[in-house]
Amino acid sequence: MASAAGSSRVPRVGVAVFLLRGKTVLLGRRRSSIGASTFALPGGHLEFGESFEECAAREVKEETGLEVDKIEYVTLTNTLFLDEPKPAHYVTIFMRASMKDPDQVPQTVEPDKCDGWGWYEWDDLPKPLFWPLEKMVQSGLSPFPDPNSGQ
Ligand code: 8DG
Ligand code: MG
C-alpha cells in the first residue's frame, strides 16, 4: 500500500452536532467546498487536545452563536469524499446537544460557510441533505434520546 508520507491526503476528524429542540434539529445550507449547497449540521474539525464535547460546543458557538448543553456522543462515520472538488477522508464524530437557553436564536456567524440556520422537523427534513447525513437518516438512526431511557 502507498505511504501517506509526502501526501496531504490524510484522514481528518470532523465533529458534527445534532442540536435538538423539541422534534426539530438545526440545519444550515453549506457553502463549503465539500457538500456545497446541501443541508448539514453545524460542526467542524477537532483541534489538538480537544474532547469531542469541547469541539461540539466550540463549533456550534462559532457557527451559530448558540450556547449548548447536555452534549452526548451519538455515532461516528468513516467517509471518503471522492467526488468533491478536493477529495477528502473524514472520521466524523456525531454528537447531540440541546440549547442552554431555548429562546436563543441561531445567527449566521460565518456567512462564507453557511447560508443560514433553521429548525427542521426530523420527519420532514429539507433536501438535499449533505450525503453522510442522508445516509444516516436512511439507515434509520435517530439523534433523539430514547424516551424509555429516562433522559
Ligand atoms: P473549521 O475549519 O471551522 O474547523 O471547520 P469547518 O470548515 O466548519 O468544517 P466542516 O466542513 O463544517 O466540518 C468538517 C467535516 O466534518 C466535513 O468537511 C465533513 C464532516 N462532516 C460529515 N457530516 C457533517 C455534517 O453534517 N456537518 C458538518 N459540519 N460536517 C460534517 O461527515
Ligand atoms: Mg462547519
Side-chain angles (χ1 to χ4, degrees):
M1 192 171 161
S3 154
S7 161
S8 61
R9 288 168 52 129
V10 293
R12 303 186 73 187
V13 181
V15 172
V17 186
F18 290 102
L19 190 54
L20 308 178
R21 194 184 70 168
K23 290 180 178 158
T24 66
V25 296
L26 190 73
L27 297 172
R29 211 189 258 270
R30 285 169 74 78
R31 297 181 65 97
S32 324
S33 60
I34 297 182
S37 71
T38 62
F39 287 90
L41 305 166
H45 298 93
L46 187 71
E47 290 187 353
F48 186 88
E50 248 181 351
S51 70
F52 300 146
E53 289 80 1
E54 285 165 347
C55 181
R58 176 182 56 74
E59 283 292 343
V60 172
K61 177 82 181 165
E62 280 177 9
E63 296 187 352
T64 71
L66 299 173
E67 304 268 356
V68 300
D69 208 5
K70 300 191 186 122
I71 311 169
E72 291 176 329
Y73 170 78
V74 177
T75 189
L76 63 79
T77 54
N78 184 18
T79 310
L80 273 174
F81 297 90
L82 292 180
D83 296 332
E84 301 291 336
K86 235 184 175 183
H89 179 178
Y90 277 96
V91 172
T92 308
I93 314 298
F94 289 81
M95 307 294 283
R96 69 174 168 228
S98 52
M99 280 192 293
K100 256 187 199 151
D101 170 6
D103 294 331
Q104 237 193 311
V105 175
Q107 309 294 322
T108 312
V109 185
E110 298 178 321
D112 52 321
K113 286 191 180 176
C114 174
D115 279 344
W117 299 103
W119 296 102
Y120 296 91
E121 293 280 335
W122 185 248
D123 294 338
D124 189 18
L125 293 171
K127 285 185 175 49
L129 287 177
F130 190 23
W131 70 263
L133 191 58
E134 176 66 37
K135 231 170 76 181
M136 203 173 266
V137 171
Q138 300 219 348
S139 77
L141 174 126
S142 165
F144 292 88
D146 178 354
N148 301 316
S149 72
Q151 290 184 48

PDB file of all heavy atoms in Angstrom, residues 77-93:
ATOM      1  N   THR A  77     -18.892   8.112  11.700  1.00  0.00           N
ATOM      2  CA  THR A  77     -18.826   7.593  10.330  1.00  0.00           C
ATOM      3  C   THR A  77     -17.379   7.675   9.848  1.00  0.00           C
ATOM      4  O   THR A  77     -16.586   8.467  10.352  1.00  0.00           O
ATOM      5  CB  THR A  77     -19.706   8.417   9.371  1.00  0.00           C
ATOM      6  OG1 THR A  77     -19.352   9.791   9.481  1.00  0.00           O
ATOM      7  CG2 THR A  77     -21.184   8.260   9.666  1.00  0.00           C
ATOM      8  N   ASN A  78     -17.088   6.842   8.859  1.00  0.00           N
ATOM      9  CA  ASN A  78     -15.769   6.825   8.217  1.00  0.00           C
ATOM     10  C   ASN A  78     -16.057   7.032   6.740  1.00  0.00           C
ATOM     11  O   ASN A  78     -16.531   6.118   6.076  1.00  0.00           O
ATOM     12  CB  ASN A  78     -15.112   5.474   8.498  1.00  0.00           C
ATOM     13  CG  ASN A  78     -13.704   5.390   7.945  1.00  0.00           C
ATOM     14  OD1 ASN A  78     -13.081   6.405   7.647  1.00  0.00           O
ATOM     15  ND2 ASN A  78     -13.209   4.179   7.795  1.00  0.00           N
ATOM     16  N   THR A  79     -15.843   8.254   6.248  1.00  0.00           N
ATOM     17  CA  THR A  79     -16.377   8.615   4.933  1.00  0.00           C
ATOM     18  C   THR A  79     -15.301   9.135   3.991  1.00  0.00           C
ATOM     19  O   THR A  79     -14.509  10.001   4.362  1.00  0.00           O
ATOM     20  CB  THR A  79     -17.446   9.726   5.101  1.00  0.00           C
ATOM     21  OG1 THR A  79     -18.364   9.315   6.106  1.00  0.00           O
ATOM     22  CG2 THR A  79     -18.189   9.977   3.811  1.00  0.00           C
ATOM     23  N   LEU A  80     -15.338   8.622   2.771  1.00  0.00           N
ATOM     24  CA  LEU A  80     -14.475   9.143   1.702  1.00  0.00           C
ATOM     25  C   LEU A  80     -15.297  10.088   0.846  1.00  0.00           C
ATOM     26  O   LEU A  80     -16.370   9.709   0.363  1.00  0.00           O
ATOM     27  CB  LEU A  80     -14.003   7.987   0.825  1.00  0.00           C
ATOM     28  CG  LEU A  80     -12.741   7.268   1.260  1.00  0.00           C
ATOM     29  CD1 LEU A  80     -12.500   6.064   0.368  1.00  0.00           C
ATOM     30  CD2 LEU A  80     -11.543   8.208   1.218  1.00  0.00           C
ATOM     31  N   PHE A  81     -14.813  11.304   0.689  1.00  0.00           N
ATOM     32  CA  PHE A  81     -15.481  12.281  -0.183  1.00  0.00           C
ATOM     33  C   PHE A  81     -14.663  12.348  -1.474  1.00  0.00           C
ATOM     34  O   PHE A  81     -13.796  13.206  -1.626  1.00  0.00           O
ATOM     35  CB  PHE A  81     -15.526  13.648   0.496  1.00  0.00           C
ATOM     36  CG  PHE A  81     -16.337  13.675   1.768  1.00  0.00           C
ATOM     37  CD1 PHE A  81     -15.749  13.420   2.994  1.00  0.00           C
ATOM     38  CD2 PHE A  81     -17.697  13.962   1.727  1.00  0.00           C
ATOM     39  CE1 PHE A  81     -16.498  13.452   4.168  1.00  0.00           C
ATOM     40  CE2 PHE A  81     -18.449  14.004   2.895  1.00  0.00           C
ATOM     41  CZ  PHE A  81     -17.848  13.738   4.107  1.00  0.00           C
ATOM     42  N   LEU A  82     -14.916  11.419  -2.374  1.00  0.00           N
ATOM     43  CA  LEU A  82     -14.081  11.332  -3.579  1.00  0.00           C
ATOM     44  C   LEU A  82     -14.601  12.196  -4.715  1.00  0.00           C
ATOM     45  O   LEU A  82     -13.843  12.595  -5.586  1.00  0.00           O
ATOM     46  CB  LEU A  82     -13.970   9.877  -4.050  1.00  0.00           C
ATOM     47  CG  LEU A  82     -13.175   8.960  -3.115  1.00  0.00           C
ATOM     48  CD1 LEU A  82     -13.119   7.548  -3.682  1.00  0.00           C
ATOM     49  CD2 LEU A  82     -11.762   9.487  -2.875  1.00  0.00           C
ATOM     50  N   ASP A  83     -15.895  12.480  -4.717  1.00  0.00           N
ATOM     51  CA  ASP A  83     -16.484  13.234  -5.830  1.00  0.00           C
ATOM     52  C   ASP A  83     -16.479  14.738  -5.593  1.00  0.00           C
ATOM     53  O   ASP A  83     -17.140  15.477  -6.300  1.00  0.00           O
ATOM     54  CB  ASP A  83     -17.926  12.766  -6.083  1.00  0.00           C
ATOM     55  CG  ASP A  83     -17.954  11.326  -6.528  1.00  0.00           C
ATOM     56  OD1 ASP A  83     -16.946  10.897  -7.126  1.00  0.00           O
ATOM     57  OD2 ASP A  83     -18.960  10.634  -6.272  1.00  0.00           O
ATOM     58  N   GLU A  84     -15.766  15.182  -4.557  1.00  0.00           N
ATOM     59  CA  GLU A  84     -15.731  16.607  -4.229  1.00  0.00           C
ATOM     60  C   GLU A  84     -14.588  17.279  -4.993  1.00  0.00           C
ATOM     61  O   GLU A  84     -13.674  16.592  -5.460  1.00  0.00           O
ATOM     62  CB  GLU A  84     -15.523  16.779  -2.723  1.00  0.00           C
ATOM     63  CG  GLU A  84     -16.601  16.132  -1.877  1.00  0.00           C
ATOM     64  CD  GLU A  84     -17.946  16.839  -2.014  1.00  0.00           C
ATOM     65  OE1 GLU A  84     -17.975  18.027  -2.368  1.00  0.00           O
ATOM     66  OE2 GLU A  84     -18.968  16.185  -1.766  1.00  0.00           O
ATOM     67  N   PRO A  85     -14.619  18.631  -5.099  1.00  0.00           N
ATOM     68  CA  PRO A  85     -13.533  19.322  -5.793  1.00  0.00           C
ATOM     69  C   PRO A  85     -12.157  18.909  -5.254  1.00  0.00           C
ATOM     70  O   PRO A  85     -11.207  18.758  -6.001  1.00  0.00           O
ATOM     71  CB  PRO A  85     -13.807  20.802  -5.500  1.00  0.00           C
ATOM     72  CG  PRO A  85     -15.258  20.877  -5.142  1.00  0.00           C
ATOM     73  CD  PRO A  85     -15.661  19.537  -4.593  1.00  0.00           C
ATOM     74  N   LYS A  86     -12.070  18.728  -3.925  1.00  0.00           N
ATOM     75  CA  LYS A  86     -10.823  18.270  -3.306  1.00  0.00           C
ATOM     76  C   LYS A  86     -11.155  16.987  -2.556  1.00  0.00           C
ATOM     77  O   LYS A  86     -11.818  17.047  -1.516  1.00  0.00           O
ATOM     78  CB  LYS A  86     -10.354  19.325  -2.306  1.00  0.00           C
ATOM     79  CG  LYS A  86      -8.961  19.823  -2.530  1.00  0.00           C
ATOM     80  CD  LYS A  86      -8.623  20.781  -1.403  1.00  0.00           C
ATOM     81  CE  LYS A  86      -7.190  21.236  -1.469  1.00  0.00           C
ATOM     82  NZ  LYS A  86      -6.880  22.104  -0.333  1.00  0.00           N
ATOM     83  N   PRO A  87     -10.743  15.809  -3.058  1.00  0.00           N
ATOM     84  CA  PRO A  87     -11.072  14.565  -2.374  1.00  0.00           C
ATOM     85  C   PRO A  87     -10.613  14.604  -0.906  1.00  0.00           C
ATOM     86  O   PRO A  87      -9.554  15.166  -0.616  1.00  0.00           O
ATOM     87  CB  PRO A  87     -10.301  13.501  -3.154  1.00  0.00           C
ATOM     88  CG  PRO A  87     -10.063  14.104  -4.487  1.00  0.00           C
ATOM     89  CD  PRO A  87      -9.951  15.577  -4.281  1.00  0.00           C
ATOM     90  N   ALA A  88     -11.426  14.048  -0.015  1.00  0.00           N
ATOM     91  CA  ALA A  88     -11.087  14.088   1.412  1.00  0.00           C
ATOM     92  C   ALA A  88     -11.573  12.820   2.102  1.00  0.00           C
ATOM     93  O   ALA A  88     -12.427  12.099   1.571  1.00  0.00           O
ATOM     94  CB  ALA A  88     -11.733  15.310   2.054  1.00  0.00           C
ATOM     95  N   HIS A  89     -10.999  12.549   3.251  1.00  0.00           N
ATOM     96  CA  HIS A  89     -11.383  11.385   4.059  1.00  0.00           C
ATOM     97  C   HIS A  89     -11.609  11.881   5.481  1.00  0.00           C
ATOM     98  O   HIS A  89     -10.704  12.465   6.077  1.00  0.00           O
ATOM     99  CB  HIS A  89     -10.254  10.351   4.006  1.00  0.00           C
ATOM    100  CG  HIS A  89     -10.512   9.126   4.814  1.00  0.00           C
ATOM    101  ND1 HIS A  89      -9.634   8.072   4.847  1.00  0.00           N
ATOM    102  CD2 HIS A  89     -11.556   8.762   5.607  1.00  0.00           C
ATOM    103  CE1 HIS A  89     -10.110   7.109   5.635  1.00  0.00           C
ATOM    104  NE2 HIS A  89     -11.275   7.525   6.120  1.00  0.00           N
ATOM    105  N   TYR A  90     -12.801  11.676   5.999  1.00  0.00           N
ATOM    106  CA  TYR A  90     -13.135  12.131   7.354  1.00  0.00           C
ATOM    107  C   TYR A  90     -13.646  10.993   8.225  1.00  0.00           C
ATOM    108  O   TYR A  90     -14.508  10.221   7.791  1.00  0.00           O
ATOM    109  CB  TYR A  90     -14.245  13.191   7.319  1.00  0.00           C
ATOM    110  CG  TYR A  90     -13.717  14.575   7.040  1.00  0.00           C
ATOM    111  CD1 TYR A  90     -13.719  15.080   5.747  1.00  0.00           C
ATOM    112  CD2 TYR A  90     -13.192  15.353   8.060  1.00  0.00           C
ATOM    113  CE1 TYR A  90     -13.221  16.344   5.476  1.00  0.00           C
ATOM    114  CE2 TYR A  90     -12.693  16.620   7.800  1.00  0.00           C
ATOM    115  CZ  TYR A  90     -12.710  17.113   6.515  1.00  0.00           C
ATOM    116  OH  TYR A  90     -12.212  18.355   6.263  1.00  0.00           O
ATOM    117  N   VAL A  91     -13.122  10.933   9.433  1.00  0.00           N
ATOM    118  CA  VAL A  91     -13.819  10.217  10.500  1.00  0.00           C
ATOM    119  C   VAL A  91     -14.623  11.301  11.195  1.00  0.00           C
ATOM    120  O   VAL A  91     -14.050  12.291  11.674  1.00  0.00           O
ATOM    121  CB  VAL A  91     -12.829   9.549  11.483  1.00  0.00           C
ATOM    122  CG1 VAL A  91     -13.578   8.985  12.685  1.00  0.00           C
ATOM    123  CG2 VAL A  91     -12.053   8.454  10.774  1.00  0.00           C
ATOM    124  N   THR A  92     -15.936  11.170  11.172  1.00  0.00           N
ATOM    125  CA  THR A  92     -16.787  12.219  11.761  1.00  0.00           C
ATOM    126  C   THR A  92     -17.491  11.681  12.995  1.00  0.00           C
ATOM    127  O   THR A  92     -18.113  10.618  12.961  1.00  0.00           O
ATOM    128  CB  THR A  92     -17.820  12.714  10.739  1.00  0.00           C
ATOM    129  OG1 THR A  92     -17.136  13.074   9.547  1.00  0.00           O
ATOM    130  CG2 THR A  92     -18.572  13.927  11.262  1.00  0.00           C
ATOM    131  N   ILE A  93     -17.351  12.442  14.061  1.00  0.00           N
ATOM    132  CA  ILE A  93     -17.992  12.104  15.329  1.00  0.00           C
ATOM    133  C   ILE A  93     -19.283  12.907  15.401  1.00  0.00           C
ATOM    134  O   ILE A  93     -19.244  14.139  15.293  1.00  0.00           O
ATOM    135  CB  ILE A  93     -17.091  12.511  16.526  1.00  0.00           C
ATOM    136  CG1 ILE A  93     -15.637  12.075  16.317  1.00  0.00           C
ATOM    137  CG2 ILE A  93     -17.662  12.028  17.845  1.00  0.00           C
ATOM    138  CD1 ILE A  93     -15.409  10.606  16.206  1.00  0.00           C
TER     139      ILE A  93
END
